[in-house]
Amino acid sequence: MRKLFLLIAVLAACLTGCGKAGQKDTGPRYVVLSPEIAEILAEIGTAGNIVGVTEECTYPPELKSIARIGKFGSVNKESVIALKPDVIFTTALEQDALTEELSKLGLRVEQFYPKSLSELLSTIRRIGEITGFEERANSLADSLSRQIELIREDSIGKTKPRVYIEIYRDPLMSVSDRSFVGELIETAGGDNIFNTLERDYARIDAEDVIAARPDLIICYSQDTLKGILSRKGWQDIPAIRNKRVYFEADLDPDLILRASPRCVLGMLKLQELYAKTVAE
Amino acid sequence: MIKKPGYLLLAALLGAGVISLYLFVGNPNANIIVQIRLPRLILTLYTGMVLAVIGSVYQLMLANPLAEPYILGISSGSAFGAILLGVLGLGLLMPLGGFLGALVTLFLVWSLARKKGSFDRSRLLISGVIAGMFFAAAISLLMYLFQKDTMIILGTLMGNLGHVFTVSEWHGFLALVLVSLLLLVFLYFKSTALDIMSGGDIYAGSVGIDVVRTRKLIFLASSVLIGITVAYAGIIGFVGLIIPHIVRFFLPSGQKRIFLASLFCGAIFLTLCDLVAKNIAVIELPVGVVTAALGCPFFMWLLLRK
């Protein structure tokens, strides 16, 4: 029952939070290069000030009508400047160099790369300060924080299913507990099988997956159910024996791979999958 | 040189040692040994032997000490085919893409190298190099366009012996290995002809060797072999270039013996490298990095000693 309330609360927040796009004549102009930040901005009601986004910024749907200035990893700098932005929101990794270049041109660039739930909350508050929407941002952060706490409490005392998430198949890659998605898997009450990897996302050995005997597999590596069930040597894995393998269609990757307010929905969905797994 | 039987015994012991370490290190259970390590060992031995053997054949056939299995462009074409399907979201079909890429490159190089019935070695070399450059540029373009799939691309370009086989795919691979062994036997029996051809096409022709035909057949057989290795293991540098040279330190002439020694050394060397790649660090290193890191110092030592 509590879950249902949570779900309604999150949905309501999503619906009311989305400002109206297209009102770009007044107020500051934002260019957003990261889909995560775009979701946060829309959530606190500033979507109307966004004048440019990258192709990956697909949520909420109202962003689709906004000018595209390239892809996540190859942004067209001239288009960014032509939009005369007051603030440019970027992320780390592929956008590190770009962030520096744009700053050198004297533009205001704000870089955010939340790597954990607590960093997500502080990012939301900081974005509130930058945009002048502190109140909305703080209340969003507070409500997310409460929801995360409820989810955490909900998982206490329950059996923890062992979870393997596959990002790539050739070469095999998975995530560590220290990655954002790793934290979501654990917070929702699962046990990510790779708690210590050298990096957040790293190459792994098939042997280690088999030895860890995951109860549930989340497969984002373009493989199919038939393909994964017939992998040589994987037959003894409980998740394979019980066909507990989930794909993009079962759990939207954006809900758990993006550090956005929707991660709460992702964790609720994870708990649903865990409950099915443990019930067996 | 050391006495021959002792030398062979030492090599056999070394090989057996590396293989048993590879299979049993870390105390795995029977399922992992049979279903995961054994297939990986077979892929590794196969890749190592093919690369080293073709390196030795190409160095002789193209009369160029810098020749290596990837010099005739087949590998770049194959890697391009595999990567293209990978970034387009068809990860399962990457080996198929590798075969198709190799096949397209084979026909391209073939038709560029053939001119009025001739198939001479410098023309073949230049055709191969230019085709390889073209596909390397195409791979760079894919890398730029699909930045988020960098891991798939690097996995192919830096070698990945941890290919995840499905049961049916494994049977297909074993069939390919059997065909490959036949092709290797064929190449072995061309050794004498290659030795003679290294004295010049005219000389070889005068002793009754159909030089153009021999070269074409070797090119076809070796291209198929390289296509298969790249499709399953990606591009692994160094083995095909340096192993034949190391072998020639001990066996200066006689392509038949060099062929067999390269086959053995390539297989064991790559297995050793993969063993190191898997176990030296917490994360698995790309095997293509380890081959050069291990092999270069050894080669330098040999150069200084001899």
Side-chain angles (χ1 to χ4, degrees):
Chain A
M1 201 58 196
R2 195 154 64 171
K3 259 188 201 162
L4 192 68
F5 278 126
L6 259 178
L7 197 67
I8 293 169
V10 175
L11 283 176
C14 287
L15 289 174
T16 53
C18 304
K20 292 184 183 69
Q23 306 163 344
K24 291 160 199 156
D25 305 333
T26 52
R29 299 164 63 83
Y30 303 139
V31 166
V32 190
L33 307 183
S34 143
E36 301 175 349
I37 311 295
E39 286 197 27
I40 296 172
L41 283 168
E43 199 69 40
I44 62 172
T46 61
N49 296 101
I50 301 177
V51 292
V53 290
T54 47
E55 275 173 33
E56 288 78 4
C57 301
T58 49
Y59 187 90
E62 55 183 324
L63 296 182
K64 284 180 185 156
S65 58
I66 296 173
R68 310 268 129 176
I69 38 88
K71 283 188 176 191
F72 183 79
S74 53
V75 172
N76 185 335
K77 263 175 285 171
E78 289 185 8
S79 312
V80 174
I81 297 163
L83 287 169
K84 299 198 186 76
D86 295 299
V87 186
I88 303 165
F89 291 93
T90 64
T91 186
L93 306 175
E94 287 102 323
Q95 295 185 356
D96 275 335
L98 181 75
T99 304
E100 203 172 309
E101 283 173 41
L102 291 170
S103 316
K104 272 188 194 157
L105 293 172
L107 295 159
R108 182 173 178 197
V109 188
E110 295 287 348
Q111 187 181 33
F112 292 104
Y113 182 49
K115 289 180 73 181
S116 64
L117 284 167
S118 64
E119 279 181 35
L120 170 65
L121 298 181
S122 59
T123 299
I124 292 174
R125 292 181 205 279
R126 177 79 190 111
I127 289 178
E129 287 167 22
I130 293 167
T131 55
F133 279 65
E134 284 110 324
E135 215 176 299
R136 300 281 299 264
N138 287 338
S139 77
L140 173 65
D142 292 341
S143 116
L144 284 177
S145 163
R146 275 195 306 275
Q147 292 165 34
I148 293 165
E149 217 33 61
L150 285 177
I151 289 170
R152 208 189 301 266
E153 280 167 20
D154 201 41
S155 68
I156 291 173
K158 289 187 181 162
T159 320
K160 282 175 179 266
R162 298 171 66 71
V163 182
Y164 164 59
I165 177 164
E166 184 169 295
I167 306 291
Y168 285 119
R169 185 183 191 276
D170 259 319
L172 276 182
M173 278 186 82
S174 188
V175 304
S176 80
D177 285 359
R178 273 175 294 172
S179 66
F180 186 76
V181 52
E183 190 184 356
L184 296 191
I185 289 172
E186 299 269 329
T187 309
D191 177 16
N192 180 34
I193 61 170
F194 290 106
N195 30 19
T196 48
L197 290 173
E198 278 292 275
R199 282 173 297 185
D200 292 354
Y201 288 69
R203 267 176 86 153
I204 47 139
D205 197 329
E207 282 178 22
D208 297 331
V209 180
I210 295 165
R213 301 175 57 79
D215 302 301
L216 185 153
I217 295 177
I218 300 168
C219 174
Y220 290 156
S221 62
Q222 309 170 353
D223 208 335
T224 58
L225 184 63
K226 191 165 165 263
I228 205 165
L229 292 182
S230 65
R231 282 185 190 178
K232 197 170 164 54
W234 290 50
Q235 311 308 319
D236 286 347
I237 298 177
I240 301 278
R241 264 202 323 255
N242 304 323
K243 298 195 177 150
R244 291 281 171 229
V245 187
Y246 300 100
F247 299 89
E248 282 90 341
D250 306 304
L251 174 54
D252 182 354
D254 291 350
L255 294 186
I256 57 170
L257 296 182
R258 282 184 188 181
S260 83
R262 285 193 296 162
C263 69
V264 173
L265 293 175
M267 284 192 283
L268 291 173
K269 186 73 196 171
L270 278 172
Q271 286 190 323
E272 234 175 74
L273 302 182
Y274 294 169
K276 269 197 224 167
T277 308
V278 176
E280 280 194 345
Chain B
M1 204 196 293
I2 316 163
K3 228 169 50 201
K4 212 176 171 190
Y7 193 65
L8 284 176
L9 187 69
L10 190 72
L13 277 177
L14 187 76
V18 170
I19 288 177
S20 32
L21 255 183
Y22 192 87
L23 286 177
F24 301 114
V25 76
N27 207 11
N29 65 31
N31 175 50
I32 286 180
I33 295 174
V34 176
Q35 302 285 340
I36 302 287
R37 292 208 181 173
L38 197 59
R40 183 167 177 152
L41 175 70
I42 291 173
L43 175 62
T44 307
L45 290 172
Y46 169 75
T47 306
M49 71 169 83
V50 164
L51 291 179
V53 156
I54 294 182
S56 81
V57 168
Y58 278 6
Q59 282 163 12
L60 197 59
M61 181 174 86
L62 300 168
N64 188 329
L66 287 179
E68 40 99 26
Y70 302 142
I71 204 162
L72 295 184
I74 305 297
S75 57
S76 300
S78 177
F80 173 76
I83 290 171
L84 182 66
L85 292 193
V87 297
L88 290 180
L90 302 165
L92 283 183
L93 299 177
M94 279 174 75
L96 184 69
F99 295 135
L100 292 179
L103 214 61
V104 168
T105 321
L106 193 157
F107 284 116
L108 180 67
V109 176
W110 175 277
S111 39
L112 286 173
R114 197 182 49 176
K115 187 190 165 200
K116 292 181 196 133
S118 98
F119 200 76
D120 75 90
R121 60 186 174 206
S122 18
R123 202 176 160 96
L124 176 62
L125 188 59
I126 290 171
S127 309
V129 168
I130 203 78
M133 282 178 144
F134 176 73
F135 285 110
I139 292 172
S140 300
L141 181 68
L142 287 183
M143 227 165 165
Y144 182 73
L145 292 178
F146 297 90
Q147 248 169 345
K148 67 181 169 54
D149 291 323
T150 308
M151 279 316 295
I152 293 185
I153 300 172
L154 287 184
T156 304
L157 291 184
M158 297 173 99
N160 167 33
L161 292 163
H163 184 81
V164 180
F165 286 101
T166 63
V167 175
S168 54
E169 191 185 12
W170 173 246
H171 293 147
F173 176 73
L174 281 183
L176 286 175
V177 169
L178 284 181
V179 174
S180 303
L181 290 179
L182 293 178
L183 290 174
L184 284 172
V185 170
F186 167 79
L187 286 178
Y188 174 73
F189 284 110
K190 288 290 167 201
S191 297
T192 312
L194 269 175
D195 268 335
I196 296 169
M197 278 160 66
S198 69
D201 286 4
I202 298 170
Y203 167 66
S206 75
V207 295
I209 291 173
D210 186 341
V211 175
V212 171
R213 191 179 131 84
T214 306
R215 201 175 281 137
K216 279 181 176 170
L217 286 174
I218 290 177
F219 171 66
L220 283 178
S222 59
S223 299
V224 171
L225 288 169
I226 295 164
I228 296 172
T229 65
V230 177
Y232 283 101
I235 293 181
I236 299 170
F238 185 86
V239 181
L241 178 64
I242 299 296
I243 292 291
H245 284 301
I246 290 178
V247 166
R248 280 195 206 99
F249 266 111
F250 301 99
L251 304 166
S253 66
Q255 173 61 12
K256 270 193 171 160
R257 288 196 305 164
I258 293 173
F259 184 103
L260 291 177
S262 298
L263 188 134
F264 175 80
C265 294
I268 296 302
F269 176 71
L270 190 58
T271 308
L272 180 68
C273 288
D274 194 39
L275 188 65
V276 171
K278 282 200 327 176
N279 294 299
I280 198 169
V282 184
I283 45 169
E284 186 181 327
L285 298 175
V287 68
V289 175
V290 179
T291 51
L294 271 188
C296 290
F298 180 65
F299 192 68
M300 288 173 196
W301 176 72
L302 271 182
L303 271 181
L304 288 175
R305 257 189 86 233
K306 299 257 168 168

